Amino acid sequence: MNDVAAGALSATAAFQLGTVGAITTDRYTRAIAPLKPKQAGILLVLSLFEGMSQQDLARKMGVAPSLLVGLLDELQDMGAVRRERDEHDRRRQIVVLTEAGRELYGTCAAAAKAMDEELLKDVADPEAFRAGLRQIAAGMGLPV
Amino acid sequence: MNDVAAGALSATAAFQLGTVGAITTDRYTRAIAPLKPKQAGILLVLSLFEGMSQQDLARKMGVAPSLLVGLLDELQDMGAVRRERDEHDRRRQIVVLTEAGRELYGTCAAAAKAMDEELLKDVADPEAFRAGLRQIAAGMGLPV
DNA sequence: TTGACATCATTCAGGCTATGAATCATTCTG
DNA sequence: CAGAATGATTCATAGCCTGAATGATGTCAA
């Protein structure tokens, strides 16, 4: 490790974002267990747009609707989420955050926030880094 | 999307690094196809430490040795890599980058470098962001 | 109203990645 | 030399994700 000049690939932001992102997700996954990252994502989206159909949720998250079924089943078993049949269109399940779900989301957010300190401890200008990350995320159409 | 205040989770560096990293890896994967990201990682490590055993390679990359078998088989089929039986310890396979492999690695590095421009186009202070990312990567023990 | 078509949630089969245990060859150690 | 340790490989398995098929419901045009 630590050969500055030799590794042109390892010097790119693309490569570093990928690897750092993967490691961060690993740690984050452990921090929020037994919740899965995608489930935290569901809670996040629902906290922003209370009451979405599974289709809309899938679109917003960029995953196949079929993937949500199992994830929501588990969230429902945890009592974090409720599925309510839409009265105006009885094909749709409206997914709603429960009070417990809101708390669970708060726990995830707290865990992530706690990770930030450790994550940024080596960064000379954390605010500039945060800003850059936020701008990239915004450019990708993520909720910022 | 784009609700600044409501999403405490989506404002954390941990969450953003994870999602941005995943999206970046997706794009990067398409850019280097038919090579897989882990295979590019192999080429990177080999370009830094020419001639490693598969055990050492696995340790350096943080993956199970058994995973390398298939990845190396493919790289070998592409002519990017050679396995040479270690004469001093005939259990070990020394993995060596071929000339073609070195070129392939260059192609990956170029693709990643090309992505950087697009990636950082919205960032106000790209150099500060790069520096921060590099510092985080270094803190995680990655080759920087 | 009815029939054709679209849409929603769900199930199912399959692909890809990654791991750990088992195996075989080889090396090291007492 | 016998037994333990190590290296590469194969195999079975788990997790995540997708797309196709299914059944229920909704929409629209004739």
Side-chain angles (χ1 to χ4, degrees), chain A residues 16-77:
Chain A
Q16 287 179 5
L17 265 180
T19 54
V20 167
I23 292 175
T24 303
T25 298
D26 268 8
R27 295 182 183 173
Y28 168 68
T29 303
R30 269 178 245 119
I32 66 172
L35 225 60
K36 300 166 187 170
K38 284 257 152 59
Q39 288 174 323
I42 291 175
L43 298 185
L44 167 60
V45 174
L46 290 180
S47 79
L48 295 176
F49 309 88
E50 181 98 21
M52 303 184 80
S53 74
Q54 297 182 202
Q55 285 293 327
D56 293 344
L57 200 49
R59 256 188 295 274
K60 192 73 79 182
M61 298 183 57
V63 300
S66 55
L67 179 60
L68 290 184
V69 176
L71 295 174
L72 287 173
D73 285 350
E74 290 172 3
L75 284 176
Q76 205 164 22
D77 289 347

Short mmCIF file of all heavy atoms in Angstrom, two decimals, chain A residues 16-77:
data_model
loop_
_atom_site.label_atom_id
_atom_site.label_comp_id
_atom_site.label_asym_id
_atom_site.label_seq_id
_atom_site.Cartn_x
_atom_site.Cartn_y
_atom_site.Cartn_z
N GLN A 16 -11.84 5.89 -5.71
CA GLN A 16 -11.84 6.11 -4.26
C GLN A 16 -13.26 6.21 -3.72
O GLN A 16 -13.56 5.69 -2.64
CB GLN A 16 -11.06 7.37 -3.91
CG GLN A 16 -9.56 7.19 -4.07
CD GLN A 16 -8.78 8.44 -3.76
OE1 GLN A 16 -9.35 9.44 -3.33
NE2 GLN A 16 -7.47 8.38 -3.99
N LEU A 17 -14.13 6.87 -4.46
CA LEU A 17 -15.52 6.95 -4.02
C LEU A 17 -16.13 5.56 -3.92
O LEU A 17 -16.86 5.24 -2.98
CB LEU A 17 -16.34 7.81 -4.98
CG LEU A 17 -16.50 9.27 -4.61
CD1 LEU A 17 -17.33 10.00 -5.65
CD2 LEU A 17 -17.15 9.42 -3.23
N GLY A 18 -15.82 4.73 -4.91
CA GLY A 18 -16.36 3.38 -4.92
C GLY A 18 -15.89 2.59 -3.71
O GLY A 18 -16.71 2.00 -3.00
N THR A 19 -14.60 2.57 -3.48
CA THR A 19 -14.08 1.73 -2.40
C THR A 19 -14.44 2.32 -1.03
O THR A 19 -14.88 1.59 -0.14
CB THR A 19 -12.56 1.57 -2.51
OG1 THR A 19 -11.96 2.85 -2.58
CG2 THR A 19 -12.19 0.80 -3.77
N VAL A 20 -14.26 3.61 -0.89
CA VAL A 20 -14.62 4.24 0.39
C VAL A 20 -16.11 4.07 0.65
O VAL A 20 -16.53 3.79 1.78
CB VAL A 20 -14.22 5.73 0.39
CG1 VAL A 20 -14.87 6.46 1.56
CG2 VAL A 20 -12.71 5.88 0.44
N GLY A 21 -16.90 4.21 -0.39
CA GLY A 21 -18.34 4.03 -0.24
C GLY A 21 -18.69 2.63 0.20
O GLY A 21 -19.55 2.44 1.06
N ALA A 22 -18.01 1.64 -0.37
CA ALA A 22 -18.31 0.26 -0.02
C ALA A 22 -17.95 -0.01 1.44
O ALA A 22 -18.72 -0.63 2.17
CB ALA A 22 -17.53 -0.69 -0.94
N ILE A 23 -16.80 0.46 1.85
CA ILE A 23 -16.38 0.24 3.25
C ILE A 23 -17.33 0.97 4.19
O ILE A 23 -17.74 0.43 5.22
CB ILE A 23 -14.93 0.73 3.44
CG1 ILE A 23 -13.98 -0.18 2.66
CG2 ILE A 23 -14.57 0.76 4.92
CD1 ILE A 23 -12.53 0.27 2.68
N THR A 24 -17.69 2.19 3.82
CA THR A 24 -18.62 2.95 4.66
C THR A 24 -19.95 2.24 4.79
O THR A 24 -20.52 2.13 5.88
CB THR A 24 -18.84 4.35 4.06
OG1 THR A 24 -17.58 5.01 3.93
CG2 THR A 24 -19.75 5.17 4.95
N THR A 25 -20.44 1.71 3.66
CA THR A 25 -21.71 0.99 3.70
C THR A 25 -21.61 -0.23 4.59
O THR A 25 -22.54 -0.55 5.33
CB THR A 25 -22.13 0.59 2.28
OG1 THR A 25 -22.32 1.77 1.51
CG2 THR A 25 -23.41 -0.22 2.30
N ASP A 26 -20.46 -0.92 4.53
CA ASP A 26 -20.25 -2.08 5.41
C ASP A 26 -20.41 -1.67 6.87
O ASP A 26 -21.13 -2.32 7.63
CB ASP A 26 -18.84 -2.65 5.20
CG ASP A 26 -18.83 -3.74 4.15
OD1 ASP A 26 -19.86 -3.95 3.49
OD2 ASP A 26 -17.77 -4.40 4.00
N ARG A 27 -19.71 -0.63 7.25
CA ARG A 27 -19.75 -0.19 8.65
C ARG A 27 -21.16 0.25 9.02
O ARG A 27 -21.67 -0.07 10.10
CB ARG A 27 -18.79 0.98 8.87
CG ARG A 27 -17.34 0.60 8.67
CD ARG A 27 -16.44 1.80 8.94
NE ARG A 27 -15.04 1.47 8.67
CZ ARG A 27 -14.04 2.36 8.70
NH1 ARG A 27 -14.31 3.63 8.99
NH2 ARG A 27 -12.81 1.98 8.46
N TYR A 28 -21.74 0.99 8.13
CA TYR A 28 -23.09 1.51 8.35
C TYR A 28 -24.08 0.36 8.51
O TYR A 28 -24.97 0.39 9.37
CB TYR A 28 -23.43 2.42 7.18
CG TYR A 28 -24.85 2.85 7.04
CD1 TYR A 28 -25.43 3.71 7.97
CD2 TYR A 28 -25.61 2.43 5.96
CE1 TYR A 28 -26.74 4.12 7.82
CE2 TYR A 28 -26.91 2.85 5.79
CZ TYR A 28 -27.48 3.69 6.73
OH TYR A 28 -28.77 4.10 6.57
N THR A 29 -23.90 -0.66 7.69
CA THR A 29 -24.78 -1.82 7.76
C THR A 29 -24.71 -2.46 9.14
O THR A 29 -25.73 -2.83 9.73
CB THR A 29 -24.39 -2.85 6.69
OG1 THR A 29 -24.44 -2.23 5.41
CG2 THR A 29 -25.34 -4.04 6.71
N ARG A 30 -23.49 -2.59 9.65
CA ARG A 30 -23.34 -3.17 10.99
C ARG A 30 -23.97 -2.26 12.04
O ARG A 30 -24.60 -2.73 12.99
CB ARG A 30 -21.85 -3.39 11.30
CG ARG A 30 -21.36 -4.77 10.90
CD ARG A 30 -19.87 -4.95 11.16
NE ARG A 30 -19.13 -5.13 9.90
CZ ARG A 30 -18.19 -4.33 9.46
NH1 ARG A 30 -17.82 -3.28 10.16
NH2 ARG A 30 -17.60 -4.59 8.31
N ALA A 31 -23.85 -0.96 11.82
CA ALA A 31 -24.34 -0.01 12.82
C ALA A 31 -25.86 -0.04 12.95
O ALA A 31 -26.40 0.15 14.03
CB ALA A 31 -23.86 1.40 12.49
N ILE A 32 -26.55 -0.29 11.84
CA ILE A 32 -28.01 -0.22 11.88
C ILE A 32 -28.66 -1.59 11.97
O ILE A 32 -29.89 -1.69 11.95
CB ILE A 32 -28.58 0.53 10.65
CG1 ILE A 32 -28.30 -0.25 9.38
CG2 ILE A 32 -28.05 1.94 10.59
CD1 ILE A 32 -29.00 0.31 8.16
N ALA A 33 -27.84 -2.65 12.03
CA ALA A 33 -28.42 -4.00 12.10
C ALA A 33 -29.40 -4.06 13.26
O ALA A 33 -29.19 -3.40 14.27
CB ALA A 33 -27.30 -5.03 12.27
N PRO A 34 -30.48 -4.84 13.13
CA PRO A 34 -30.79 -5.78 12.06
C PRO A 34 -31.45 -5.14 10.83
O PRO A 34 -31.85 -5.87 9.93
CB PRO A 34 -31.78 -6.72 12.73
CG PRO A 34 -32.51 -5.84 13.69
CD PRO A 34 -31.53 -4.81 14.15
N LEU A 35 -31.54 -3.83 10.82
CA LEU A 35 -32.09 -3.17 9.62
C LEU A 35 -31.09 -3.26 8.48
O LEU A 35 -29.88 -3.19 8.70
CB LEU A 35 -32.35 -1.70 9.95
CG LEU A 35 -33.67 -1.10 9.49
CD1 LEU A 35 -34.83 -1.84 10.11
CD2 LEU A 35 -33.73 0.37 9.82
N LYS A 36 -31.60 -3.42 7.25
CA LYS A 36 -30.72 -3.41 6.09
C LYS A 36 -30.68 -2.01 5.50
O LYS A 36 -31.66 -1.26 5.64
CB LYS A 36 -31.24 -4.40 5.04
CG LYS A 36 -31.30 -5.83 5.55
CD LYS A 36 -32.12 -6.71 4.62
CE LYS A 36 -32.32 -8.09 5.23
NZ LYS A 36 -33.29 -8.90 4.49
N PRO A 37 -29.59 -1.67 4.83
CA PRO A 37 -29.45 -0.32 4.27
C PRO A 37 -30.65 0.09 3.43
O PRO A 37 -31.14 1.21 3.55
CB PRO A 37 -28.20 -0.43 3.41
CG PRO A 37 -27.40 -1.53 4.00
CD PRO A 37 -28.40 -2.51 4.56
N LYS A 38 -31.13 -0.80 2.60
CA LYS A 38 -32.27 -0.46 1.76
C LYS A 38 -33.50 -0.18 2.61
O LYS A 38 -34.36 0.62 2.22
CB LYS A 38 -32.56 -1.60 0.77
CG LYS A 38 -31.58 -1.66 -0.38
CD LYS A 38 -32.18 -1.10 -1.66
CE LYS A 38 -31.12 -0.52 -2.59
NZ LYS A 38 -30.11 -1.48 -3.00
N GLN A 39 -33.59 -0.85 3.74
CA GLN A 39 -34.73 -0.59 4.62
C GLN A 39 -34.62 0.77 5.27
O GLN A 39 -35.63 1.48 5.42
CB GLN A 39 -34.84 -1.70 5.67
CG GLN A 39 -35.31 -3.01 5.05
CD GLN A 39 -35.30 -4.17 6.02
OE1 GLN A 39 -34.42 -4.28 6.87
NE2 GLN A 39 -36.29 -5.05 5.90
N ALA A 40 -33.42 1.16 5.63
CA ALA A 40 -33.23 2.51 6.14
C ALA A 40 -33.60 3.51 5.04
O ALA A 40 -34.21 4.55 5.31
CB ALA A 40 -31.78 2.71 6.58
N GLY A 41 -33.24 3.16 3.80
CA GLY A 41 -33.61 4.02 2.67
C GLY A 41 -35.11 4.16 2.54
O GLY A 41 -35.62 5.25 2.26
N ILE A 42 -35.83 3.06 2.75
CA ILE A 42 -37.29 3.11 2.72
C ILE A 42 -37.80 4.06 3.78
O ILE A 42 -38.65 4.93 3.51
CB ILE A 42 -37.87 1.70 2.93
CG1 ILE A 42 -37.56 0.81 1.73
CG2 ILE A 42 -39.37 1.77 3.18
CD1 ILE A 42 -37.99 -0.65 1.92
N LEU A 43 -37.29 3.91 4.99
CA LEU A 43 -37.73 4.78 6.08
C LEU A 43 -37.45 6.24 5.74
O LEU A 43 -38.27 7.13 6.00
CB LEU A 43 -37.03 4.39 7.39
CG LEU A 43 -37.31 2.98 7.89
CD1 LEU A 43 -36.67 2.75 9.25
CD2 LEU A 43 -38.81 2.68 7.95
N LEU A 44 -36.30 6.47 5.15
CA LEU A 44 -35.95 7.84 4.76
C LEU A 44 -36.96 8.40 3.77
O LEU A 44 -37.49 9.50 3.96
CB LEU A 44 -34.54 7.85 4.14
CG LEU A 44 -34.15 9.13 3.40
CD1 LEU A 44 -34.21 10.34 4.33
CD2 LEU A 44 -32.77 8.99 2.80
N VAL A 45 -37.22 7.66 2.72
CA VAL A 45 -38.15 8.15 1.70
C VAL A 45 -39.53 8.38 2.31
O VAL A 45 -40.18 9.40 2.06
CB VAL A 45 -38.24 7.16 0.52
CG1 VAL A 45 -39.32 7.59 -0.46
CG2 VAL A 45 -36.90 7.06 -0.19
N LEU A 46 -39.95 7.44 3.15
CA LEU A 46 -41.28 7.58 3.76
C LEU A 46 -41.33 8.76 4.71
O LEU A 46 -42.40 9.37 4.90
CB LEU A 46 -41.66 6.30 4.49
CG LEU A 46 -41.98 5.11 3.60
CD1 LEU A 46 -42.34 3.89 4.43
CD2 LEU A 46 -43.08 5.44 2.61
N SER A 47 -40.20 9.09 5.31
CA SER A 47 -40.19 10.23 6.22
C SER A 47 -40.31 11.54 5.43
O SER A 47 -40.74 12.55 5.96
CB SER A 47 -38.93 10.25 7.07
OG SER A 47 -37.84 10.75 6.32
N LEU A 48 -39.92 11.47 4.16
CA LEU A 48 -40.03 12.67 3.32
C LEU A 48 -41.38 12.75 2.64
O LEU A 48 -41.96 13.82 2.49
CB LEU A 48 -38.92 12.67 2.26
CG LEU A 48 -37.49 12.77 2.78
CD1 LEU A 48 -36.49 12.67 1.64
CD2 LEU A 48 -37.29 14.07 3.54
N PHE A 49 -41.89 11.60 2.19
CA PHE A 49 -43.15 11.57 1.45
C PHE A 49 -44.08 10.57 2.12
O PHE A 49 -44.19 9.43 1.65
CB PHE A 49 -42.93 11.14 0.01
CG PHE A 49 -41.87 11.92 -0.70
CD1 PHE A 49 -40.55 11.52 -0.63
CD2 PHE A 49 -42.21 13.04 -1.44
CE1 PHE A 49 -39.57 12.24 -1.29
CE2 PHE A 49 -41.22 13.75 -2.10
CZ PHE A 49 -39.90 13.35 -2.02
N GLU A 50 -44.68 10.92 3.17
CA GLU A 50 -45.53 9.98 3.90
C GLU A 50 -46.61 9.43 2.98
O GLU A 50 -47.31 10.16 2.29
CB GLU A 50 -46.17 10.66 5.11
CG GLU A 50 -47.05 9.76 5.94
CD GLU A 50 -46.30 9.22 7.17
OE1 GLU A 50 -45.29 9.84 7.57
OE2 GLU A 50 -46.72 8.19 7.71
N GLY A 51 -46.71 8.11 2.97
CA GLY A 51 -47.78 7.48 2.24
C GLY A 51 -47.53 7.38 0.75
O GLY A 51 -48.08 8.13 -0.03
N MET A 52 -46.71 6.41 0.37
CA MET A 52 -46.48 6.18 -1.05
C MET A 52 -46.91 4.76 -1.39
O MET A 52 -46.83 3.87 -0.56
CB MET A 52 -44.99 6.28 -1.39
CG MET A 52 -44.34 7.58 -1.03
SD MET A 52 -42.64 7.56 -1.62
CE MET A 52 -42.87 7.95 -3.35
N SER A 53 -47.27 4.57 -2.65
CA SER A 53 -47.50 3.21 -3.13
C SER A 53 -46.15 2.54 -3.31
O SER A 53 -45.11 3.20 -3.39
CB SER A 53 -48.24 3.23 -4.46
OG SER A 53 -47.36 3.61 -5.49
N GLN A 54 -46.15 1.22 -3.39
CA GLN A 54 -44.90 0.50 -3.54
C GLN A 54 -44.25 0.80 -4.89
O GLN A 54 -43.04 0.84 -5.01
CB GLN A 54 -45.14 -1.00 -3.36
CG GLN A 54 -45.64 -1.30 -1.96
CD GLN A 54 -45.85 -2.77 -1.68
OE1 GLN A 54 -46.59 -3.14 -0.79
NE2 GLN A 54 -45.22 -3.64 -2.45
N GLN A 55 -45.08 1.01 -5.89
CA GLN A 55 -44.55 1.41 -7.20
C GLN A 55 -43.75 2.69 -7.09
O GLN A 55 -42.61 2.78 -7.55
CB GLN A 55 -45.69 1.62 -8.20
CG GLN A 55 -46.32 0.36 -8.73
CD GLN A 55 -45.39 -0.45 -9.59
OE1 GLN A 55 -44.55 0.10 -10.29
NE2 GLN A 55 -45.52 -1.77 -9.53
N ASP A 56 -44.37 3.70 -6.48
CA ASP A 56 -43.70 4.99 -6.37
C ASP A 56 -42.42 4.87 -5.54
O ASP A 56 -41.40 5.46 -5.87
CB ASP A 56 -44.65 6.02 -5.73
CG ASP A 56 -45.83 6.34 -6.64
OD1 ASP A 56 -45.74 6.02 -7.84
OD2 ASP A 56 -46.81 6.92 -6.15
N LEU A 57 -42.53 4.09 -4.49
CA LEU A 57 -41.36 3.86 -3.63
C LEU A 57 -40.23 3.24 -4.44
O LEU A 57 -39.07 3.66 -4.35
CB LEU A 57 -41.79 2.93 -2.49
CG LEU A 57 -40.95 2.90 -1.21
CD1 LEU A 57 -40.66 4.28 -0.69
CD2 LEU A 57 -41.68 2.07 -0.15
N ALA A 58 -40.58 2.24 -5.23
CA ALA A 58 -39.57 1.55 -6.04
C ALA A 58 -38.93 2.52 -7.03
O ALA A 58 -37.72 2.52 -7.21
CB ALA A 58 -40.20 0.37 -6.77
N ARG A 59 -39.77 3.31 -7.67
CA ARG A 59 -39.25 4.28 -8.62
C ARG A 59 -38.30 5.24 -7.92
O ARG A 59 -37.19 5.49 -8.38
CB ARG A 59 -40.40 5.07 -9.27
CG ARG A 59 -40.71 4.64 -10.71
CD ARG A 59 -41.73 5.58 -11.35
NE ARG A 59 -43.03 5.53 -10.70
CZ ARG A 59 -43.98 4.63 -11.00
NH1 ARG A 59 -43.77 3.73 -11.92
NH2 ARG A 59 -45.12 4.65 -10.36
N LYS A 60 -38.74 5.76 -6.80
CA LYS A 60 -37.93 6.74 -6.06
C LYS A 60 -36.60 6.16 -5.64
O LYS A 60 -35.58 6.84 -5.61
CB LYS A 60 -38.74 7.20 -4.83
CG LYS A 60 -38.20 8.39 -4.11
CD LYS A 60 -38.42 9.68 -4.85
CE LYS A 60 -39.83 10.20 -4.69
NZ LYS A 60 -40.03 11.45 -5.48
N MET A 61 -36.60 4.87 -5.32
CA MET A 61 -35.38 4.26 -4.82
C MET A 61 -34.55 3.60 -5.92
O MET A 61 -33.42 3.17 -5.68
CB MET A 61 -35.72 3.21 -3.76
CG MET A 61 -36.42 3.79 -2.56
SD MET A 61 -36.73 2.54 -1.30
CE MET A 61 -35.07 1.93 -0.97
N GLY A 62 -35.12 3.50 -7.10
CA GLY A 62 -34.37 2.91 -8.19
C GLY A 62 -34.17 1.41 -8.06
O GLY A 62 -33.13 0.88 -8.45
N VAL A 63 -35.17 0.73 -7.50
CA VAL A 63 -35.08 -0.72 -7.40
C VAL A 63 -36.35 -1.34 -8.00
O VAL A 63 -37.34 -0.64 -8.23
CB VAL A 63 -34.94 -1.19 -5.94
CG1 VAL A 63 -33.68 -0.63 -5.32
CG2 VAL A 63 -36.17 -0.81 -5.14
N ALA A 64 -36.29 -2.64 -8.24
CA ALA A 64 -37.45 -3.33 -8.78
C ALA A 64 -38.53 -3.42 -7.70
O ALA A 64 -38.21 -3.65 -6.52
CB ALA A 64 -37.07 -4.73 -9.25
N PRO A 65 -39.78 -3.25 -8.07
CA PRO A 65 -40.86 -3.32 -7.09
C PRO A 65 -40.85 -4.64 -6.33
O PRO A 65 -41.19 -4.67 -5.14
CB PRO A 65 -42.12 -3.22 -7.96
CG PRO A 65 -41.69 -2.53 -9.19
CD PRO A 65 -40.27 -2.94 -9.42
N SER A 66 -40.46 -5.70 -7.00
CA SER A 66 -40.49 -7.01 -6.34
C SER A 66 -39.51 -7.07 -5.17
O SER A 66 -39.71 -7.84 -4.24
CB SER A 66 -40.16 -8.10 -7.35
OG SER A 66 -38.95 -7.85 -8.01
N LEU A 67 -38.48 -6.26 -5.24
CA LEU A 67 -37.51 -6.27 -4.14
C LEU A 67 -38.14 -5.72 -2.86
O LEU A 67 -37.82 -6.15 -1.75
CB LEU A 67 -36.27 -5.45 -4.50
CG LEU A 67 -35.19 -5.38 -3.41
CD1 LEU A 67 -34.67 -6.75 -3.06
CD2 LEU A 67 -34.06 -4.46 -3.83
N LEU A 68 -39.04 -4.77 -3.03
CA LEU A 68 -39.63 -4.11 -1.87
C LEU A 68 -40.50 -5.05 -1.06
O LEU A 68 -40.63 -4.89 0.16
CB LEU A 68 -40.46 -2.91 -2.32
CG LEU A 68 -39.66 -1.72 -2.86
CD1 LEU A 68 -40.58 -0.57 -3.18
CD2 LEU A 68 -38.62 -1.29 -1.84
N VAL A 69 -41.09 -6.02 -1.71
CA VAL A 69 -42.05 -6.88 -1.03
C VAL A 69 -41.45 -7.47 0.24
O VAL A 69 -41.99 -7.31 1.35
CB VAL A 69 -42.54 -8.00 -1.96
CG1 VAL A 69 -43.46 -8.95 -1.23
CG2 VAL A 69 -43.23 -7.39 -3.18
N GLY A 70 -40.31 -8.13 0.09
CA GLY A 70 -39.68 -8.75 1.24
C GLY A 70 -39.21 -7.73 2.27
O GLY A 70 -39.39 -7.93 3.48
N LEU A 71 -38.60 -6.66 1.79
CA LEU A 71 -38.09 -5.64 2.71
C LEU A 71 -39.23 -5.04 3.53
O LEU A 71 -39.09 -4.83 4.74
CB LEU A 71 -37.37 -4.54 1.92
CG LEU A 71 -36.10 -4.97 1.18
CD1 LEU A 71 -35.56 -3.82 0.33
CD2 LEU A 71 -35.04 -5.43 2.17
N LEU A 72 -40.35 -4.79 2.87
CA LEU A 72 -41.50 -4.22 3.57
C LEU A 72 -42.12 -5.25 4.52
O LEU A 72 -42.58 -4.88 5.61
CB LEU A 72 -42.53 -3.71 2.57
CG LEU A 72 -42.14 -2.43 1.84
CD1 LEU A 72 -43.14 -2.09 0.75
CD2 LEU A 72 -42.00 -1.27 2.82
N ASP A 73 -42.13 -6.51 4.10
CA ASP A 73 -42.64 -7.55 4.99
C ASP A 73 -41.89 -7.50 6.32
O ASP A 73 -42.48 -7.54 7.39
CB ASP A 73 -42.47 -8.93 4.35
CG ASP A 73 -43.50 -9.18 3.24
OD1 ASP A 73 -44.43 -8.38 3.11
OD2 ASP A 73 -43.34 -10.17 2.51
N GLU A 74 -40.57 -7.41 6.21
CA GLU A 74 -39.76 -7.39 7.43
C GLU A 74 -40.02 -6.12 8.25
O GLU A 74 -40.16 -6.18 9.48
CB GLU A 74 -38.27 -7.49 7.07
CG GLU A 74 -37.87 -8.86 6.55
CD GLU A 74 -36.45 -8.89 6.01
OE1 GLU A 74 -35.75 -7.84 6.10
OE2 GLU A 74 -36.03 -9.93 5.49
N LEU A 75 -40.07 -5.00 7.57
CA LEU A 75 -40.33 -3.74 8.28
C LEU A 75 -41.69 -3.80 8.98
O LEU A 75 -41.86 -3.28 10.08
CB LEU A 75 -40.29 -2.55 7.31
CG LEU A 75 -38.90 -2.10 6.86
CD1 LEU A 75 -39.00 -0.98 5.82
CD2 LEU A 75 -38.08 -1.60 8.05
N GLN A 76 -42.62 -4.44 8.31
CA GLN A 76 -43.95 -4.58 8.88
C GLN A 76 -43.90 -5.47 10.12
O GLN A 76 -44.51 -5.16 11.14
CB GLN A 76 -44.88 -5.19 7.83
CG GLN A 76 -46.34 -4.85 8.03
CD GLN A 76 -47.15 -5.14 6.77
OE1 GLN A 76 -46.74 -5.93 5.92
NE2 GLN A 76 -48.30 -4.50 6.65
N ASP A 77 -43.13 -6.56 10.02
CA ASP A 77 -42.98 -7.45 11.17
C ASP A 77 -42.35 -6.72 12.36
O ASP A 77 -42.64 -7.02 13.51
CB ASP A 77 -42.12 -8.67 10.80
CG ASP A 77 -42.85 -9.62 9.86
OD1 ASP A 77 -44.08 -9.46 9.72
OD2 ASP A 77 -42.20 -10.50 9.27
#
